[in-house]
Amino acid sequence: MKKLFTVLSLFAVSFAMAQNVAKVEIQNPPMDIATPIAKDKIELYNQSFSKFVAALKASDKNAVSGLISEKVKNLVNEKMIQTLSGGISFDRKTEVYQSGYQKLLDNQTYPAIQYKYEDDKQNPPRDLITVIFENDGKILGVKPDYSK
């Protein structure tokens, strides 16, 4: 009986050691702020973002749909819009914190702007909103980052 137990435990240990463990890591590449966005483009993107925030505040799905890129339009649903509305403070004014370019999963580089709230005086700001645009001003993605 001891021999059987010893053999089985030996097989169990060797089987446990033979398991391959794969590690999956999701990478979120940092924004490249070394290459600045032109001031006139930043103004275009600011106008687009302001209209987007106003549409979110009014819960106007048609206006939101008109401001987002065709690439993501079929991915956006009502629940995502409501979640995003809860992540942006409509009572606080925003200003540009950083601008640059961000490479996405499709290996294309898009203009990105990080907005901070004007009343947030910390450096770096506690609350940021990162917005990725297409060159024509359509919004590809919005990610509010809030400290807890």
Side-chain angles (χ1 to χ4, degrees), residues 7-34:
V7 169
L8 287 177
S9 64
L10 188 59
F11 280 124
V13 168
S14 64
F15 179 73
M17 295 294 182
Q19 298 294 319
N20 288 336
V21 178
K23 182 178 178 183
V24 176
E25 185 175 324
I26 298 174
Q27 295 179 350
N28 189 6
M31 189 168 64
D32 177 20
I33 58 173

Side-chain angles (χ1 to χ4, degrees), residues 8 16-17 29 36 47 56 76 89-90 105 113 120 122 148:
L8 287 177
M17 295 294 182
Q47 290 173 3
L56 282 177
V76 176
S89 176
F90 300 121
L105 295 175
I113 297 178
D120 189 354
Q122 293 186 355
K148 295 183 179 177

